Structures are given as C-alpha cells and as structure tokens.
Amino acid sequence: MQSVAESLERLGGLARTPAVARLAEAFQAAGHELALVGGPVRDALLGRSVHDLDFTTDARPDDILRIVAPIADAHWDIGRQFGTIGARFGDDTVEITTYRSDSYDGTTRKPEVEFGDTLEGDLLRRDFTVNALALRLPEVRLVDPSGGVEHLIAGVITTPSTPQVSFGDDPLRMMRAARFAAQLGFAVDQETRDAMAAMAGRIEIVSAERVRDELTKLLLADEPRPGIELLVDSGLAEHVIPEIPALRLEADEHHHHKDVYQHSLTVLDQAIGYEKERHPGEAPDLVLRLAAILHDIGKPATRRFEPGGAVSFYHHDVVGAKLAKKRLTALRFDKATIDAVARLIELHLRFFGYADAHWTDSAVRRYVRDAGPELERLHMLTRADVTTRNRRKADRLAFAYDDLETRIRELKEQEELHAVRPDLDGEQVMRVLGIRPGREVGQAMKFLLELRLDEGPLGEEEATRRLLEWWEQR
C-alpha cells in the first residue's frame, strides 16, 4: 500500500474528477448525502487504477433520478428495485445506490431489499472490511467503521460482521473471498477461512450464473492461483467445479506419477505467462485459462496402474474434453467458450507425437486444420503443459515446438494454410461428375480435402483429373 500522504492525494484527486465533483455538488444542493464507496476507494488507497465509480446516498431512487437526470449524458434505472440508478458522464459510468440494510431469508441469496438511513450502517452490511470504505463528498472525508484501512495495510481479507453471519446472509461472498485473494494478493484470515470450510455447502443455493461470474473474475486476475487453491482447500470447489479438487490423485508406494493438481496449477501459471508474453497489454484470455486449469481433468477417470510401477491415463484428452463441456454447460458458460475450451483439451496432447517422430507436411496441415481458430491458444497451452524438472527433456520439447511453429509459418506462407479448402468447390464437382446435390457430392469434397491436406494445392486441372480417377475407381 502507498504512503498515507500518497493515499490522501489519490483520494483528493478522485474527488476532483469531473463526474465525481459534479455529482457531489448536485446532491449537496438537493440536501442529500453522497459518498464514493467500495472498490474505487479501496483501489485509490492501494494505488491501483480506478475504473467503475460506485456511490451511495440517503436519497431514495426517485430522488436520485430527479437529481441525476438534468446533469447526466444518459441515465437508466435497471436496478431501481434494489435502489440503484445508473448514469453516464462523458467517459465515466457511475452507479448510485440508496443506503441499504438488506435481510436474507436463509434459503436463497436474494435479499429482502430494505433501505437504510446511515452511511455507517450501509458499510457494515458489505462483504469485506476492505470494501466497507467510503469517501464522503464533497468534504472528502474517509469513513471506515470496521478497520478496513488497517486490513488494507496488513493485506488481510475479513468480514465486517462475523463471517458466519456474513456468509449465511450471502454465500456467494465465500467465492468473492477467493476472488479478492487472487486479485489483491491478500491473505484470508483464519476465522474467515474456517467459516468458508464449515459453510461450503451453502454455495449450492447460489445460481449457476452468479457462480460462473465469480469464477470468471477469479480466473481473469493477474495471478489466479491463490484463489483457486483457497476454493479447493476450503471445500468450495467440491460444490462449484469438483473436477479440479479431483485432480489431487493419491499414489500408492509402488506407483508414482506427477501431482496432477499442482501440475495443472503450474500449467495455468505458465499459460498466463505465455499469454502476457505474446499479447502484452491485451485483456486476459478466459478460454486459455479455463483450458489450462481443466486440461487434465480426464485423468482421474482414466488412471490405470501398469506392471512395473507405471501409471497410464490413456484417452484422458478425449474424456477431459467431454467432462469440461459438461461442467461449463452446467455453469452456464456460452457455447463459443465451451466449444473452444473443449477443443483445446481434446488437442492438448497432439503435439507430443511431433516431438517423438518427424511429422510430414500433411500431418502439420491436419494439426492446423483441427485446431482451427484455436491454433494460437493451442500453441500456448501445449508449451505451458511442459512442467518437467528434467532440463534436457524440457529443452527438447521446446526446440521441437519451435520447429513445429516454424514449419506452420512456412506452410502458411506457401499455401495460405488458414484457408485450407479443396481445389474444386461443390458446383465444380457436380459439373465434372455430372451429379446432383447429395451424399456423393459430400464424399467427393471429402476426398478432395484429404488430397489437399496430403499433397498441398494441386490446381484445378490436376484436381479434376484426380477426382475423375477416384470416381471411376468407385
């Protein structure tokens, strides 16, 4: 955390930004309180960049609209039933929420919305002390009723009330603890961890969409590993994404194999490293990160103990792709993400055949064709999957993949590899063979595609000759 002087200067600068200053002046003129609250205050104190601006006020939703409408570039009331009004001021998007004092029924995470009367009461109902911070406006006075600044300095995540009460009210907060551990690099205090372990099963009352969103935010952190480890250690992962804790395979004294769970975490770390190296400054890649942490989830179901102490996991790539598709579907991920992750898991072992035996140009073309739009991610995942401590083996695999990528680039330059297609289209096939649309056209196109993959571009004349030859032999 930055120095006190730097933190105060950051808070003052935040209060002076056009959107904040304009809102503060308007609410004061209307006789209402206004405070910047939660994440923006926390991040300003930590010296992190501030993005979304969240405010809280004693004004009710109708009053918020009345104050905001004349001065905002746009406004909306999609969260009005929860006391939240959204607005846009230039490039800044803000949300303004009436003080809350929610109550929960204990069976769902949906609160009975009750408006509160004080800023301090509103802060004490929030998830963690580091988020229970507010900056009163326009006087720029920090409000911290639960010691959040001390916890920011110490790098500790804990709840304003007891964790049992907080998580009982809203079980999703347990996943948020893991997410903030990853995003902020903070430690979750022992009492909070104990409550997470004791109450892990409560997460099942939370909707799949909410769980998905928290898991996504965790994985998109700069270093998601500590958050994932907390999900597993607390038992939450057993209810949310059980395929990950299942990777902690036990080996008996006669059979030894790599710790699949720790290996998967290392693959995730390394995949993120390649992602940042190849695409610096770009947004985190959720598909790559999901594929990295899930790439070996087929191993528990395919583990076999072989004679001599060996352990095999035959077809864990195919099994893992199916398991990933099933889990991500249950978590309500979109189809494009599910398909891309499953495809990467299915293909993540393909390269190791290249390392053991030289591939023909045909095999390289098929690798590219099968990867399709996921080729760049497959490059990163496959490289990340090398976690051996044997330096000679690691170097051999790295050199082999360097060679494969070089060959792909060369073939692409020669043949426009990303647009691999037969030398003749369907209309030409029907005209050459004198047939109508149907199954035979599909068979002919498949033959021409295989020919194209095996031998590269042949040209229309040669492709026609070979097509007629194939047709006659049928």
Side-chain angles (χ1 to χ4, degrees):
M1 185 170 167
Q2 57 196 346
S3 70
V4 174
E6 289 174 326
S7 296
L8 292 174
E9 177 57 32
R10 290 262 306 174
L11 289 174
L14 191 58
R16 291 189 296 271
T17 58
V20 176
R22 197 170 183 187
L23 277 168
E25 181 182 337
F27 274 79
Q28 184 182 48
H32 286 289
E33 298 177 1
L34 185 71
L36 192 64
V37 69
V41 181
R42 178 200 68 218
D43 290 341
L45 289 170
L46 290 172
R48 295 160 59 98
S49 59
V50 175
H51 299 289
D52 299 328
L53 298 175
D54 297 324
F55 297 86
T56 188
T57 177
D58 63 339
R60 296 312 195 241
D62 288 344
D63 295 322
I64 297 174
L65 272 174
R66 179 175 51 80
I67 297 168
V68 168
I71 62 174
D73 296 322
H75 65 276
W76 51 93
D77 60 355
I78 192 169
R80 188 170 184 168
Q81 63 181 6
F82 299 108
T84 300
I85 303 298
R88 181 170 54 80
F89 294 83
D91 295 331
D92 293 315
T93 298
V94 307
E95 288 190 350
I96 308 162
T97 303
T98 303
Y99 295 155
R100 299 263 291 273
S101 57
D102 300 338
S103 62
Y104 293 79
D105 62 14
T107 58
T108 72
R109 74 165 300 271
K110 293 182 179 180
E112 294 292 332
V113 177
E114 297 178 5
F115 296 139
D117 298 313
T118 68
L119 174 58
E120 289 75 9
D122 178 272
L123 293 176
L124 290 172
R125 56 160 284 278
R126 292 178 179 263
D127 54 4
F128 304 108
T129 59
V130 295
N131 295 328
L133 300 167
L135 191 66
R136 280 195 182 275
L137 302 168
E139 61 264 39
V140 192
R141 180 165 64 86
L142 184 64
V143 180
D144 175 18
S146 57
V149 172
E150 294 179 12
H151 295 144
L152 280 179
I153 295 171
V156 172
I157 294 172
T158 188
T159 55
S161 59
T162 67
Q164 291 80 6
V165 170
S166 182
F167 298 155
D169 283 346
D170 184 358
L172 190 65
R173 289 173 175 172
M174 294 185 286
M175 288 197 67
R176 286 171 62 84
R179 192 241 295 182
F180 283 121
Q183 288 182 333
L184 302 177
F186 285 9
V188 177
D189 83 315
Q190 192 59 52
E191 183 183 4
T192 305
R193 294 175 70 99
D194 290 344
M196 291 171 66
M199 303 175 69
R202 292 272 299 161
I203 196 67
E204 294 187 3
I205 71 172
V206 180
S207 71
E209 291 82 1
R210 295 274 186 170
V211 169
R212 174 202 63 207
D213 290 346
E214 281 301 325
L215 182 62
T216 295
K217 290 173 184 176
L218 190 165
L219 284 171
L220 295 181
D222 275 350
E223 297 181 12
R225 183 172 186 154
I228 294 172
E229 290 177 326
L230 181 54
L231 288 182
V232 172
D233 293 344
S234 66
L236 273 167
E238 293 282 358
H239 302 276
V240 171
I241 187 162
E243 292 79 6
I244 294 179
L247 294 171
R248 296 179 296 181
L249 300 178
E250 296 180 2
D252 63 33
E253 60 180 316
H254 303 295
H255 297 85
H256 302 284
H257 56 78
K258 189 181 299 183
D259 184 325
V260 184
Y261 170 59
Q262 290 298 326
H263 164 74
S264 297
L265 290 172
T266 301
V267 172
L268 174 62
D269 290 339
Q270 295 187 165
I272 292 172
Y274 284 120
E275 173 193 314
K276 293 178 178 178
E277 177 185 308
R278 293 190 177 214
H279 303 286
E282 294 187 15
D285 189 338
L286 177 62
V287 168
L288 177 63
R289 296 177 183 207
L290 280 168
I293 193 61
L294 298 177
H295 78 286
D296 273 347
I297 60 172
K299 281 190 171 180
T302 58
R303 182 173 60 162
R304 298 291 182 272
F305 296 116
E306 307 290 351
V311 179
S312 66
F313 303 96
Y314 293 124
H315 307 302
H316 77 266
D317 46 350
V318 177
V319 172
K322 293 178 179 177
L323 290 174
K325 183 171 287 192
K326 182 177 180 181
R327 176 55 54 195
L328 297 180
T329 298
L331 287 171
R332 305 291 193 273
F333 279 90
D334 62 278
K335 186 176 185 302
T337 296
I338 294 170
D339 289 345
V341 171
R343 192 63 169 155
L344 287 168
I345 294 173
E346 184 180 357
L347 294 175
H348 81 274
L349 292 181
R350 181 80 66 86
F351 155 74
F352 294 96
Y354 183 91
D356 296 331
H358 184 74
W359 281 2
T360 63
D361 285 350
S362 172
V364 174
R365 293 189 191 97
R366 290 174 191 277
Y367 186 76
V368 174
R369 180 195 66 177
D370 290 347
E374 304 310 320
L375 181 63
E376 173 67 9
R377 287 175 172 140
L378 185 59
H379 288 334
M380 292 186 280
L381 176 61
T382 301
R383 287 183 180 275
D385 197 21
V386 179
T387 62
T388 178
R389 296 180 182 178
N390 183 322
R391 190 71 261 167
R392 180 177 297 179
K393 181 179 179 182
D395 287 344
R396 179 176 66 84
L397 291 170
F399 292 148
Y401 210 90
D402 287 343
D403 182 64
L404 175 58
E405 288 202 71
T406 298
R407 289 184 64 193
I408 289 173
R409 283 194 299 271
E410 291 173 348
L411 283 171
K412 181 182 177 183
E413 291 171 1
Q414 296 169 12
E415 307 172 9
E416 297 181 0
L417 193 57
H418 282 296
V420 172
R421 58 176 60 89
D423 291 277
L424 303 177
D425 61 27
E427 293 290 337
Q428 290 172 305
V429 166
M430 289 188 287
R431 187 168 59 252
V432 168
L433 300 181
I435 59 178
R436 297 173 63 82
R439 185 167 56 89
E440 291 176 328
V441 176
Q443 292 173 341
M445 293 297 292
K446 183 178 179 181
F447 163 75
L448 289 172
L449 178 59
E450 295 294 326
L451 198 62
R452 171 72 170 77
L453 289 168
D454 288 339
E455 301 184 29
L458 299 174
E460 185 177 336
E461 183 178 344
E462 177 63 12
T464 299
R465 187 186 70 78
R466 300 283 282 275
L467 176 64
L468 287 170
E469 185 178 275
W470 168 80
W471 184 252
E472 291 173 0
Q473 290 176 353
R474 290 178 75 254

